[in-house]
């Protein structure tokens, strides 16, 4: 498995954000936190692809939003935010080596990768301020997969409040989505005061999550995961979470998060 990341550049301090701490993003601290993130991915067994900072795009550290990875196909996301258009092209160049077949979604579809949750048999796509119904239709046509559209009630993206840990297990913030759309999955529900931690990343048996959320940590540990916690303060101030900072590229033959596309 490969994990693609992009280091933050100084313009990261001007990233898009609705967070009250928006004006206080500390770039140097963000760099340290990003380095710890890379260590955690490596510790979980990922081979890292580290792209250099791209300062012309303040949000380019959030690579998850740019590209979707399927078994034999990558999709360049048509991002809605003007300041993020163009990021996908820079990531696709690095992804092409692993997924030579590249798809796109045509206008008026807009979609951020943070709105796409792949549980294997199906996709869930958040209808958010970034992702529209046209994208759901176009993505279903492109991948041939059934998609459940999920209105996002809180947070930037679907995955701001929802994570798939494998083996039919979800971590879910019940304030952000209608949990009944996920009948058939086992669910760890996140308490309101721990909602930021609902975005977390399972890589094999390792679970990477934000530090400071002991209740959720215990709940996930009781499922048998080894937990790695990371300081995420600077990325949280830019509305970003754990999964946003990487693009996970499984080996196609071992791919267990989606049916072949
Ligand atoms: C943005 O507003 O686009 C960035 N500041 C945060 C993106 C976070 N990405 C994600 O949740 N997948």
């Amino acid at each position: 498995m490969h994990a693609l990341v992009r280091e933050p550049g100084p313009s990261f301090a001007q990233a898009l954000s609705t967070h009250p701490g928006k004006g206080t993003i500390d770039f140097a601290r963000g760099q340290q936190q990003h380095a710890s993130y890379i260590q955690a991915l490596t510790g979980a067994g990922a081979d890292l692809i580290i792209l250099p900072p791209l300062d012309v795009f303040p949000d380019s550290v959030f690579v998850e939003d740019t590209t979707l990875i399927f078994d034999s196909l990558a999709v360049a996301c048509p991002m809605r935010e003007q300041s993020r258009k163009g990021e996908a092209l820079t990531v696709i160049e690095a992804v092409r080596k692993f997924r030579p077949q590249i798809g796109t979604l045509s206008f008026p579809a807009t979609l951020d990768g943070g709105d796409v949750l792949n549980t294997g048999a199906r996709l869930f796509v958040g209808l958010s301020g970034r992702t529209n119904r046209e994208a759901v239709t176009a993505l279903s046509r492109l991948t041939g997969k059934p998609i459940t559209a999920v209105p996002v009630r809180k947070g930037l993206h679907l995955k701001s409040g929802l994570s798939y840990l494998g083996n039919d297990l979800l971590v879910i913030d019940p304030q952000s989505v209608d949990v009944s759309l996920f009948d058939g999955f086992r669910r760890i529900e996140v308490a309101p005061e721990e909602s930021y931690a609902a975005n977390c990343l399972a890589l094999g048996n390792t679970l990477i999550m934000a530090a400071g959320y002991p209740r959720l940590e215990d709940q996930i540990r009781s499922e048998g995961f080894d937990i790695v916690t990371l300081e995420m303060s600077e990325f949280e101030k830019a509305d970003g979470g754990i999964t946003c900072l990487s693009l996970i590229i499984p080996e196609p033959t071992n791919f267990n998060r989606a049916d072949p596309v």
Side-chain angles (χ1 to χ4, degrees):
M1 163 200 31
H2 287 82
L4 180 148
V5 300
R6 186 184 289 288
E7 292 177 334
S11 72
F12 169 61
Q14 280 85 54
L16 296 169
S17 179
T18 58
H19 190 277
K22 171 186 168 108
T24 67
I25 293 174
D26 181 331
F27 169 55
R29 200 155 172 220
Q31 280 181 305
Q32 287 164 9
Q33 292 178 351
H34 196 261
S36 301
Y37 183 80
I38 288 175
Q39 266 183 8
L41 292 174
T42 305
D47 291 327
L48 267 286
I49 304 155
I50 304 176
L51 303 182
L54 197 57
D55 217 33
V56 66
F57 293 116
D59 288 284
S60 53
V61 70
F62 299 116
V63 286
E64 174 184 56
D65 294 323
T66 67
T67 311
L68 307 179
I69 304 289
F70 297 103
D71 195 39
S72 61
L73 172 75
V75 178
C77 296
M79 300 176 77
R80 180 173 170 274
E81 286 298 322
Q82 201 58 40
S83 69
R84 303 204 62 184
K85 288 184 195 298
E87 282 183 34
L89 279 180
T90 70
V91 173
I92 281 290
E93 282 319 304
V95 164
R96 206 180 279 282
K97 182 171 149 201
F98 304 97
R99 296 292 188 277
Q101 191 187 340
I102 309 290
T104 53
L105 309 177
S106 309
F107 182 83
T110 65
L111 177 136
D112 278 7
D115 277 317
V116 180
L117 183 87
N118 189 347
T119 66
R122 68 199 299 179
L123 294 177
F124 292 89
V125 175
L127 298 173
S128 68
R130 301 287 176 86
T131 297
N132 59 19
R133 282 196 183 274
E134 288 85 348
V136 176
T137 308
L139 188 61
S140 180
R141 199 173 298 138
L142 183 65
T143 61
K145 279 174 157 291
I147 296 183
T148 303
V150 184
V152 177
R153 296 170 175 162
K154 191 188 121 191
L156 181 62
H157 291 128
L158 177 66
K159 287 191 287 189
S160 307
L162 182 68
S163 303
Y164 184 58
L165 273 47
N167 297 318
D168 292 331
L169 179 64
L170 293 169
V171 172
I172 191 163
D173 171 9
Q175 293 183 311
S176 69
V177 292
D178 176 356
V179 294
S180 71
L181 292 172
F182 301 93
D183 282 349
F185 287 89
R186 293 185 301 124
R187 302 187 290 251
I188 296 175
E189 295 203 2
V190 182
E193 66 277 14
E194 295 203 339
S195 62
Y196 175 69
N199 176 274
C200 53
L201 177 62
L203 292 177
N205 202 48
T206 302
L207 190 287
I208 304 174
M209 64 181 286
Y213 301 93
R215 196 163 145 188
L216 182 61
E217 219 181 291
D218 283 349
Q219 287 169 290
I220 296 176
R221 188 174 290 110
S222 69
E223 291 287 338
F225 285 94
D226 298 327
I227 307 244
V228 176
T229 59
L230 295 175
E231 293 300 330
M232 287 289 290
S233 62
E234 305 318 298
F235 301 109
E236 182 177 4
K237 289 181 205 167
D239 287 340
I242 292 279
T243 64
C244 321
L245 293 174
S246 59
L247 192 59
I248 303 301
I249 311 176
E251 303 307 323
T253 47
N254 297 335
F255 196 55
N256 62 2
R257 290 168 59 183
D259 291 332
V261 170

